[in-house]
Amino acid sequence: ATPYETVLVERKGRTALLTLNRPKALNALNLQVMKEVVGAAEALDRDPEIGCIVLTGSAKAFAAGADIKEMQPQDYVDMYLSDWFTAWDRLGRLRTPTVAAVSGYALGGGCELAMLCDILLAADTAVFGQPEIKLGVIPGIGGSQRLTRAVGKAKAMELCLTGRTMDAGEAERAGLVSRVVPADQLLAEALAVAETVAGMSKPVAMMAKEAVDRAFETTLAEGVRFERRLFHAVFATADQKEGMAAFVDKRPPTFTHR
Ligand code: CAA
């Protein structure tokens, strides 16, 4: 039995599926959701049997944003003292690869949550945006930064300043999502991607993720140096031996995730 109310946790082999479960509020991200999703994800991240984590919502809403009703009465000192939203950053620091499967609304905090994941798959029904400005606020879970890095200044500025949304096709053309799939195939596709990732060597997949993430934090020369160190390091894994031996032997590899 899952110890959480707002997120369902299922395991399918080496893949874990987290499903946001606040349907009446379109999965609005209140503090309970934050605590539970981050807690569940961190527990899975520590589990050596899990190689990939999928995060999804409902058909209508991945998440319609942070919980506006919860935020409405807060003042500056409340927000500052509680360091509102900062726990979400921990999702971006998971070492296990993550996949966001987005159907329906991914607005405000919902879009930011999807962007905290490593691979973003969208249903053709997905709607992305940072409409906070219409509420008299700005993004608070990294949207102004991650959206800008994902789609560039032109679109990020327009979305953050006007609050207009993007459909799945525009999000794919802009580089926010890796692929768009028919809504009824979204979950199966996300789980298939996750199973593929989870079938790779876990330490090597973790290093691949770390290397790509480093591109957002450093210069090209430093990033390439970082990649080179990791590239040399993978030759210390059993899975490099197995992966290359399997290629030479013309057979599929069996990784030990070590
Ligand atoms: N917070 C709290 N409750 C929300 C919510 C949110 N972000 N989004 C939807 N809900 C609730 C609604 O209040 C409604 O509850 P009641 O039945 O109790 O009235 C229920 O979910 C269903 O929503 P709607 O009736 O509005 O559904 P709809 O289909 O008519 O519209 C929608 C869907 C266009 C997504 C609309 O709900 C909407 O605009 N939601 C808010 C989107 C938004 O502004 N998100 C940004 C939030 S701020 C933020 O996220 C800050 C940040 O950077 C972290």
Side-chain angles (χ1 to χ4, degrees):
T2 167
Y4 309 109
E5 277 177 12
T6 62
V7 59
L8 307 174
V9 182
E10 291 164 78
R11 287 157 173 272
K12 297 168 191 288
R14 291 184 54 79
T15 294
L17 174 62
L18 297 181
T19 306
L20 297 170
N21 186 35
R22 263 194 98 198
K24 286 191 185 129
L26 301 184
N27 292 330
L29 306 169
N30 63 11
L31 297 184
Q32 184 185 3
V33 176
M34 176 173 76
K35 213 172 141 205
E36 294 189 348
V37 169
V38 172
E42 284 184 332
L44 294 164
D45 193 37
R46 289 188 293 269
D47 186 338
E49 300 305 317
I50 293 298
C52 192
I53 301 168
V54 177
L55 179 61
T56 197
S58 68
K60 181 171 178 188
F62 177 72
D67 192 310
I68 298 165
K69 293 165 190 168
E70 188 180 52
M71 290 184 290
Q72 186 192 1
Q74 309 295 332
D75 67 15
Y76 169 73
V77 176
D78 295 330
M79 299 300 264
Y80 180 81
L81 287 178
S82 65
D83 209 3
W84 199 273
F85 288 154
T86 293
W88 282 119
D89 298 347
R90 284 155 48 197
L91 213 59
R93 289 199 294 270
L94 299 181
R95 301 179 76 206
T96 306
T98 54
V99 178
V102 176
S103 177
Y105 298 111
L107 301 178
C111 186
E112 294 169 302
L113 180 54
M115 291 190 292
L116 278 165
C117 297
D118 301 321
I119 298 177
L120 211 168
L121 290 182
D124 49 14
T125 57
V127 177
F128 297 91
Q130 298 292 157
E132 289 89 345
I133 192 111
K134 297 202 268 181
L135 301 164
V137 299
I138 70 169
I141 314 177
S144 64
Q145 306 304 299
R146 289 195 181 87
L147 186 66
T148 307
R149 280 165 157 82
V151 307
K153 175 177 168 178
K155 254 184 215 298
M157 230 8 143
E158 191 197 347
L159 264 62
C160 289
L161 287 177
T162 67
R164 91 159 170 89
T165 57
M166 281 195 292
D167 64 18
E170 184 179 359
E172 185 185 26
R173 289 191 299 278
L176 179 62
V177 311
S178 67
R179 263 179 316 123
V180 179
V181 299
D184 60 357
Q185 290 163 33
L186 176 70
L187 190 58
E189 193 56 36
L191 289 171
V193 168
E195 197 183 316
T196 300
V197 174
M200 303 300 176
S201 164
K202 176 129 187 223
V204 177
M206 288 164 70
M207 288 187 210
K209 164 173 171 158
E210 230 187 315
V212 173
D213 275 340
R214 190 55 72 99
F216 289 93
E217 303 284 353
T218 193
T219 62
L220 180 61
E222 279 305 322
V224 170
R225 265 195 284 276
F226 180 77
E227 179 199 77
R228 190 76 24 84
R229 288 285 168 265
L230 289 180
F231 175 70
H232 295 158
V234 297
F235 284 78
T237 65
D239 290 333
Q240 173 270 330
K241 305 283 173 273
E242 167 62 10
M244 291 193 171
F247 176 83
V248 172
D249 298 348
K250 301 186 187 296
R251 61 171 173 85
T254 306
F255 292 123
T256 54
H257 311 291
R258 297 197 62 79

